[in-house]
Short mmCIF file of all heavy atoms in Angstrom, two decimals:
data_model
loop_
_atom_site.label_atom_id
_atom_site.label_comp_id
_atom_site.label_asym_id
_atom_site.label_seq_id
_atom_site.Cartn_x
_atom_site.Cartn_y
_atom_site.Cartn_z
N GLY A 255 -2.73 0.15 17.72
CA GLY A 255 -3.60 1.32 17.53
C GLY A 255 -5.06 0.99 17.66
O GLY A 255 -5.42 0.09 18.44
N CYS A 256 -5.89 1.68 16.89
CA CYS A 256 -7.33 1.57 17.08
C CYS A 256 -8.06 0.69 16.05
O CYS A 256 -9.27 0.51 16.15
CB CYS A 256 -7.95 2.96 17.07
SG CYS A 256 -7.80 3.84 15.46
N VAL A 257 -7.37 0.16 15.07
CA VAL A 257 -8.03 -0.66 14.03
C VAL A 257 -8.43 -2.01 14.60
O VAL A 257 -7.63 -2.69 15.27
CB VAL A 257 -7.11 -0.83 12.80
CG1 VAL A 257 -7.75 -1.80 11.80
CG2 VAL A 257 -6.82 0.51 12.14
N ASP A 258 -9.65 -2.41 14.30
CA ASP A 258 -10.18 -3.70 14.77
C ASP A 258 -9.82 -4.78 13.74
O ASP A 258 -10.63 -5.12 12.88
CB ASP A 258 -11.68 -3.58 14.95
CG ASP A 258 -12.31 -4.83 15.58
OD1 ASP A 258 -11.61 -5.86 15.69
OD2 ASP A 258 -13.50 -4.80 15.90
N TYR A 259 -8.64 -5.34 13.89
CA TYR A 259 -8.17 -6.32 12.87
C TYR A 259 -8.98 -7.62 12.84
O TYR A 259 -9.26 -8.13 11.76
CB TYR A 259 -6.69 -6.58 13.01
CG TYR A 259 -5.88 -5.49 12.40
CD1 TYR A 259 -5.39 -4.46 13.14
CD2 TYR A 259 -5.65 -5.49 11.01
CE1 TYR A 259 -4.65 -3.41 12.57
CE2 TYR A 259 -4.94 -4.45 10.41
CZ TYR A 259 -4.45 -3.43 11.19
OH TYR A 259 -3.76 -2.39 10.59
N PRO A 260 -9.39 -8.17 13.98
CA PRO A 260 -10.23 -9.37 13.86
C PRO A 260 -11.49 -9.12 13.04
O PRO A 260 -11.89 -9.98 12.24
CB PRO A 260 -10.57 -9.68 15.33
CG PRO A 260 -9.40 -9.15 16.09
CD PRO A 260 -9.01 -7.88 15.38
N ALA A 261 -12.10 -7.94 13.19
CA ALA A 261 -13.32 -7.63 12.41
C ALA A 261 -13.00 -7.38 10.95
O ALA A 261 -13.82 -7.66 10.07
CB ALA A 261 -14.02 -6.42 13.02
N VAL A 262 -11.82 -6.83 10.68
CA VAL A 262 -11.41 -6.62 9.26
C VAL A 262 -11.16 -7.97 8.60
O VAL A 262 -11.54 -8.21 7.44
CB VAL A 262 -10.15 -5.74 9.19
CG1 VAL A 262 -9.59 -5.73 7.76
CG2 VAL A 262 -10.46 -4.31 9.64
N PHE A 263 -10.48 -8.85 9.29
CA PHE A 263 -10.06 -10.11 8.69
C PHE A 263 -11.19 -11.11 8.53
O PHE A 263 -11.12 -12.00 7.65
CB PHE A 263 -8.94 -10.73 9.51
CG PHE A 263 -7.61 -10.02 9.43
CD1 PHE A 263 -6.64 -10.24 10.39
CD2 PHE A 263 -7.35 -9.12 8.41
CE1 PHE A 263 -5.41 -9.59 10.32
CE2 PHE A 263 -6.13 -8.46 8.34
CZ PHE A 263 -5.15 -8.71 9.30
N ALA A 264 -12.22 -11.02 9.38
CA ALA A 264 -13.29 -12.03 9.30
C ALA A 264 -13.92 -12.17 7.92
O ALA A 264 -14.04 -13.27 7.40
CB ALA A 264 -14.34 -11.74 10.37
N PRO A 265 -14.36 -11.07 7.29
CA PRO A 265 -14.94 -11.22 5.95
C PRO A 265 -13.92 -11.61 4.88
O PRO A 265 -14.27 -12.31 3.93
CB PRO A 265 -15.52 -9.82 5.65
CG PRO A 265 -14.80 -8.89 6.57
CD PRO A 265 -14.48 -9.67 7.78
N LEU A 266 -12.65 -11.23 5.05
CA LEU A 266 -11.64 -11.64 4.11
C LEU A 266 -11.45 -13.15 4.19
O LEU A 266 -11.34 -13.84 3.14
CB LEU A 266 -10.32 -10.92 4.36
CG LEU A 266 -10.34 -9.40 4.29
CD1 LEU A 266 -8.93 -8.82 4.54
CD2 LEU A 266 -10.86 -8.92 2.95
N ARG A 267 -11.36 -13.66 5.38
CA ARG A 267 -11.21 -15.09 5.56
C ARG A 267 -12.43 -15.82 4.99
O ARG A 267 -12.31 -16.84 4.30
CB ARG A 267 -11.07 -15.43 7.05
CG ARG A 267 -10.82 -16.91 7.34
CD ARG A 267 -10.86 -17.22 8.84
NE ARG A 267 -9.85 -16.46 9.56
CZ ARG A 267 -10.11 -15.47 10.40
NH1 ARG A 267 -11.39 -15.09 10.61
NH2 ARG A 267 -9.16 -14.84 11.04
N GLY A 268 -13.62 -15.26 5.24
CA GLY A 268 -14.84 -15.88 4.73
C GLY A 268 -14.93 -15.90 3.23
O GLY A 268 -15.52 -16.80 2.63
N ALA A 269 -14.30 -14.89 2.57
CA ALA A 269 -14.32 -14.83 1.12
C ALA A 269 -13.19 -15.63 0.49
O ALA A 269 -13.06 -15.67 -0.75
CB ALA A 269 -14.22 -13.35 0.69
N GLY A 270 -12.36 -16.26 1.31
CA GLY A 270 -11.28 -17.08 0.79
C GLY A 270 -10.03 -16.34 0.39
O GLY A 270 -9.28 -16.80 -0.47
N TYR A 271 -9.78 -15.18 1.03
CA TYR A 271 -8.57 -14.43 0.69
C TYR A 271 -7.34 -15.27 1.00
O TYR A 271 -7.20 -15.82 2.09
CB TYR A 271 -8.53 -13.13 1.49
CG TYR A 271 -7.28 -12.30 1.23
CD1 TYR A 271 -7.15 -11.56 0.06
CD2 TYR A 271 -6.22 -12.28 2.13
CE1 TYR A 271 -6.01 -10.83 -0.20
CE2 TYR A 271 -5.06 -11.55 1.89
CZ TYR A 271 -4.97 -10.82 0.72
OH TYR A 271 -3.84 -10.09 0.46
N GLU A 272 -6.43 -15.35 0.01
CA GLU A 272 -5.22 -16.18 0.15
C GLU A 272 -3.97 -15.40 -0.19
O GLU A 272 -2.95 -15.99 -0.52
CB GLU A 272 -5.33 -17.40 -0.76
CG GLU A 272 -6.48 -18.35 -0.38
CD GLU A 272 -6.50 -19.61 -1.24
OE1 GLU A 272 -5.86 -19.61 -2.31
OE2 GLU A 272 -7.14 -20.59 -0.84
N GLY A 273 -4.02 -14.08 -0.07
CA GLY A 273 -2.87 -13.27 -0.45
C GLY A 273 -1.97 -12.91 0.73
O GLY A 273 -1.94 -13.60 1.76
N TRP A 274 -1.29 -11.79 0.58
CA TRP A 274 -0.35 -11.32 1.57
C TRP A 274 -1.06 -10.40 2.59
O TRP A 274 -1.95 -9.62 2.23
CB TRP A 274 0.78 -10.53 0.91
CG TRP A 274 1.74 -11.36 0.12
CD1 TRP A 274 1.63 -11.67 -1.20
CD2 TRP A 274 2.94 -11.94 0.61
NE1 TRP A 274 2.72 -12.44 -1.57
CE2 TRP A 274 3.52 -12.63 -0.48
CE3 TRP A 274 3.58 -11.98 1.84
CZ2 TRP A 274 4.73 -13.32 -0.35
CZ3 TRP A 274 4.77 -12.65 1.97
CH2 TRP A 274 5.32 -13.32 0.88
#
Side-chain angles (χ1 to χ4, degrees):
C256 65
V257 174
D258 185 350
Y259 280 96
V262 170
F263 288 163
L266 300 182
R267 184 186 301 109
Y271 178 77
E272 297 183 343
W274 289 90

